[in-house]
C-alpha cells in the first residue's frame, strides 16, 4: 500500500547532502510518496543549484513530488509532517577553524569531538532553538529529525529546551551494520547490534547475525585485521566490546594528533574542495541522478537512515533502529534526561528506547565523562554561562588541563564571536 507524506521540510536544503536524502525516497518510491519537499536555505545560490538537481532527480524518476525552494522559513515549515535539520552554522570556514585551533595546541581538531565539537555546538544552539520556535508555531506535530552535528548534543538541547518531537540521527550505526554484513556475507537486515553509548561515542556489546551471537567470530576477524577498522585487537579484547569509529579520537589521541599534523590539509579543507566539485556537477543540467562522487563524504548512506526512520514512523513498522533519544532509563548509569544512542522501537506510537542495562565497566567511565562534557556543552550553549563553558572544556577528555581549557576557550570563543550571541 502506498503511504502519502504531505510535506517534508529540509532546513539546510542547500547542503550537498540533499540529493542523498531525496534519493532515499526515489529508491523507496513503491512504499511512500512525498507530495512536497520544501528546501530551505539561507544561501540562495546553493539553494538554486542543489534544488535544481533535486527537481531534475524527481522528474527523472517520474515522481509527482513538488520541490519548493525557499529562503523563507515560514513557507518551508508551514504544515510539514517532517522537518529535517542539516545546517552548518558558519559554514566550512568555521569547521576548518574548529580543526586548526585545537591542533595548534596539540589537541585533536575534529568537527564533532573535543573543542571543535564544543564550538560547533555553541554556534548551532542559538540557531537551532530559533528554528525550533518556528516549528513549534508552524508545524507543532511534526517530527524533527536532526542530522546537524554534533547530533547527540543538538538533539539533547531540543529535547531539554523545546516541546518538539525531536530525534537525532547518524549514519554510523548503518555503516557499522553494513561492515558486519559484508564481513559475514549477509544482507543488512540479518544483522543486529547491541549498540550502546552516545552519538559518536559508541560501542557494540554483542553482534548477532541471523540471531546467532557472532561476537567471537568478529573478534577473530579483527585479530586478522579488518580494513578501515582502526582499533588494535588487544584493546578490543580488553574492552570486551567493539568500539566504533569515532572512539579512535579518545583511545588514540596522540596518534590522531600526529596524523592530523602530518596531513597537508584538514578534513574540512578536503571537504570544502569536494563540495565545490559537487556543486559544479550539480549545476550541470544534464545531471539527473545523485552523482557517485557524493560517496566521498563521510555521511554516505545517511538517506538510508533517514528514510528508514520516516517509513517506520508513518507505516507503524515497530522495527528496531539505532537513533538518538532521551535516555529515560535505557542506560541507567547515564542521566535520565540526557540523550543516548541506542536501539529503539520505531512506529506510529513514536520512538521507545530498549533498556540496554548498565554499561560494561570497561567503558563506563569514558562514556560518563563524555556525557558530562555534553551536558555542560548544552548548558553553556543555551545560557552563555562562562562557568559552564569552562566546565565543558575542562571536562572533555581530550583537553582535561585547566590551563589548556582556558586558553582554548578564550581563543575559540573569540574566533567564533559573530556566531555566539549567547556569549557576547
Ligand atoms: C560521518 C559522521 C557524520 C559526519 C560525517 C562527516 O558520517 O557520522 O556525523 O557528518 O562523517 O563527513 P565529512 O565528509 O563531512 O567529513
Amino acid at each position: 500500500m502506498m503511504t502519502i507524506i504531505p510535506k517534508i521540510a529540509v532546513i539546510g536544503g542547500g547542503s550537498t547532502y540533499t540529493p542523498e536524502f531525496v534519493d532515499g525516497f526515489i529508491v523507496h518510491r513503491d512504499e511512500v510518496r512525498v507530495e512536497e519537499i520544501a528546501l530551505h536555505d539561507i544561501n540562495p545560490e546553493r539553494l538554486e543549484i542543489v534544488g535544481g538537481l533535486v527537481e531534475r532527480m524527481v522528474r527523472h524518476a517520474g515522481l509527482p513530488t513538488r520541490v519548493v525552494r525557499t529562503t523563507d522559513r515560514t513557507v518551508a515549515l508551514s504544515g510539514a509532517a517532517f522537518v529535517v535539520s542539516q545546517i552548518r552554522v558558519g559554514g566550512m570556514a568555521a569547521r576548518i577553524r574548529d580543526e586548526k585551533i585545537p591542533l595548534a595546541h596539540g589537541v585533536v581538531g575534529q568537527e564533532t569531538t573535543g573543542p571543535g565539537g564544543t564550538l560547533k555546538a555553541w554556534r548551532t544552539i542559538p540557531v537551532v532553538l530559533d528554528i525550533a520556535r518556528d516549528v513549534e508555531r508552524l508545524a507543532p506535530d511534526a517530527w524533527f529529525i536532526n542530522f546537524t552535528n554534533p547530533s547527540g548534543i543538538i538533539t539533547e538541547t531540543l529535547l531539554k529546551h523545546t516541546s518538539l518531537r525531536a530525534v537525532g540521527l547518524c549514519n554510523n550505526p548503518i555503516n557499522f551494520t553494513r561492515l558486519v554484513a559484508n564481513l559475514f556475507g549477509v544482507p543488512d537486515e540479518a544483522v543486529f547490534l547491541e549498540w550502546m553509548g552516545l552519538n559518536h561515542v559508541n560501542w557494540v556489546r554483542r553482534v548477532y547475525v541471523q540471531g546467532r551471537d557472532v561476537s567471537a567470530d568478529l573478534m577473530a576477524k579483527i585479530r586478522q585485521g579488518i580494513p578501515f577498522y582502526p582499533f588494535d585487537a588487544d584493546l578490543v579484547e580488553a574492552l570486551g566490546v567493539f568500539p566504533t569509529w569515532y572512539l579512535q579520537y579518545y583511545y588514540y589521541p596522540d596518534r590522531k594528533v600526529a596524523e592530523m599534523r602530518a596531513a597537508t590539509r584538514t578534513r574540512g579543507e578536503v571537504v570544502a574542495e569536494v563540495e565545490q566539485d559537487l556543486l559544479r556537477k550539480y549545476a550541470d543540467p544534464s545531471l539527473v541522478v545523485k552523482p557517485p562522487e557524493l560517496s566521498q563524504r563521510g555521511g554516505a548512506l545517511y538517506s538510508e537512515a533517514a528514510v528508514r526512520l520516516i517509513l517506520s514512523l508513518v507505516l507503524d513498522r515497530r522495527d528496531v533502529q539505532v537513533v538518538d533519544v532521551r535516555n529515560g532509563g535505557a542506560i541507567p548509569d547515564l542521566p535520565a534526561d540526557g540523550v543516548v544512542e541506542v536501539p529503539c522501537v520505531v512506529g506510529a506510537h513514536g520512538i521507545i528506547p530498549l533498556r540496554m542495562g548498565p554499561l560494561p565497566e570497561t567503558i563506563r567511565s569514558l562514556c560518563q565523562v563524555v556525557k558530562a562534557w555534553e551536558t555542560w556543552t548544552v548548558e553553556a550553549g543555551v545560557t552563555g554561562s562562562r562557568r559552564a563553558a569552562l566546565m565543558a572544556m575542562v571536562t572533555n577528555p581530550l583537553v582535561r588541563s585547566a590551563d589548556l581549557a582556558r586558553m582554548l576557550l578564550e581563543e575559540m570563543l573569540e574566533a567564533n564571536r559573530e556566531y555566539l550571541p549567547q556569549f557576547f
Side-chain angles (χ1 to χ4, degrees):
M1 201 188 71
M2 174 69 73
T3 300
I4 310 273
I5 299 176
K7 179 170 176 179
I8 299 181
V10 182
I11 306 298
S15 160
T16 49
Y17 278 125
T18 302
E20 169 77 24
F21 176 69
V22 173
D23 187 58
F25 290 97
I26 295 176
V27 171
H28 291 273
R29 55 200 288 172
D30 293 337
E31 294 148 280
V32 66
R33 183 196 304 151
V34 184
E35 290 189 326
E36 178 180 329
I37 294 185
L39 304 179
H40 173 272
D41 209 283
I42 55 170
N43 181 331
E45 289 85 41
R46 284 184 71 141
L47 195 58
E48 208 39 48
I49 296 175
V50 176
L53 172 61
V54 166
E55 177 82 47
R56 295 194 301 278
M57 284 171 65
V58 163
R59 292 301 146 253
H60 178 71
L63 300 186
T65 307
R66 213 169 33 253
V67 179
V68 172
R69 310 169 214 179
T70 179
T71 52
D72 181 343
R73 222 151 62 195
T74 304
V75 171
L77 292 174
S78 299
F82 291 92
V83 178
V84 174
S85 166
Q86 45 175 35
I87 60 173
R88 187 183 288 284
V89 179
M92 257 335 141
R95 174 176 179 174
I96 294 167
R97 281 198 298 274
D98 286 348
E99 294 166 337
K100 287 192 167 170
I101 298 176
L103 200 55
H105 292 277
V107 175
V108 166
Q110 211 281 323
E111 74 162 332
T112 64
T113 306
T118 315
L119 267 293
K120 186 169 191 342
W122 290 343
R123 285 194 304 274
T124 308
I125 286 172
V127 179
V128 97
L129 286 179
D130 200 45
I131 295 169
R133 300 299 164 230
D134 284 352
V135 179
E136 284 171 338
R137 197 163 48 81
L138 299 164
D141 298 325
W143 274 100
F144 190 98
I145 301 183
N146 180 67
F147 266 111
T148 297
N149 268 327
S151 187
I153 293 174
I154 300 306
T155 306
E156 182 161 322
T157 304
L158 289 165
L159 290 175
K160 282 181 169 170
H161 296 281
T162 77
S163 64
L164 298 191
R165 295 209 286 177
V167 55
L169 217 48
C170 180
N171 61 337
N172 274 343
I174 284 205
N175 282 332
F176 199 86
T177 302
R178 186 139 311 168
L179 174 81
V180 171
N182 289 341
L183 285 171
F184 289 87
V186 295
D188 291 359
E189 303 72 55
V191 177
F192 179 65
L193 305 175
E194 286 187 21
W195 188 275
M196 57 197 320
L198 317 173
N199 178 240
H200 287 187
V201 190
N202 33 58
W203 297 263
V204 178
R205 186 170 53 190
R206 286 271 168 284
V207 178
Y208 301 88
V209 168
Q210 277 146 353
R212 194 170 70 84
D213 185 344
V214 298
S215 307
D217 309 68
L218 180 59
M219 191 59 238
K221 288 181 196 290
I222 289 172
R223 233 176 277 119
Q224 285 158 12
I226 296 176
F228 308 117
Y229 187 68
F231 303 97
D232 303 303
D234 60 349
L235 172 71
V236 183
E237 221 152 46
L239 293 172
V241 295
F242 302 96
T244 75
W245 185 255
Y246 276 79
L247 283 165
Q248 57 182 310
Y249 299 110
Y250 297 103
Y251 287 126
Y252 308 118
D254 306 331
R255 278 189 215 174
K256 297 313 289 181
V257 166
E259 269 172 35
M260 287 170 172
R261 285 197 155 149
T264 49
R265 293 180 306 166
T266 69
R267 177 68 190 160
E269 288 172 316
V270 172
V271 166
E273 217 177 279
V274 173
E275 282 212 305
Q276 285 318 308
D277 246 36
L278 282 172
L279 288 171
R280 262 195 300 278
K281 297 225 159 63
Y282 290 5
D284 173 357
S286 67
L287 184 71
V288 293
V289 293
K290 170 184 91 169
E293 290 84 354
L294 189 49
S295 63
Q296 291 172 19
R297 294 296 306 277
L301 292 188
Y302 114 78
S303 60
E304 276 302 310
V307 175
R308 264 188 69 193
L309 180 71
I310 291 175
L311 287 182
S312 292
L313 288 168
V314 294
L315 300 178
D316 193 25
R317 282 190 171 154
R318 280 170 259 148
D319 57 346
V320 174
Q321 303 186 26
V322 176
V323 293
D324 291 273
V325 290
R326 185 178 178 280
N327 180 23
I331 299 181
D333 21 32
L334 294 175
D337 64 346
V339 161
V340 292
E341 194 167 281
V342 289
C344 298
V345 180
V346 183
H349 63 275
I351 303 175
I352 298 181
L354 298 185
R355 189 177 190 287
M356 299 306 291
L359 295 162
E361 63 173 348
T362 51
I363 62 173
R364 189 186 308 137
S365 56
L366 178 56
C367 196
Q368 285 175 330
V369 78
V370 181
K371 178 42 91 183
W373 162 67
E374 290 191 351
T375 310
W376 287 117
T377 299
V378 171
E379 184 179 329
V382 172
T383 63
S385 150
R386 294 284 175 133
R387 171 179 168 264
L390 182 59
M391 283 312 300
M393 254 330 156
V394 80
T395 303
N396 193 285
L398 298 179
V399 180
R400 286 191 194 275
S401 141
D403 292 327
L404 191 53
R406 210 174 289 111
M407 220 148 54
L408 283 167
L409 191 60
E410 285 323 310
E411 198 175 332
M412 295 182 84
L413 285 179
E414 200 48 49
N416 287 280
R417 194 179 249 273
E418 63 181 304
Y419 301 110
L420 301 176
Q422 73 274 52
F423 285 104
F424 291 101

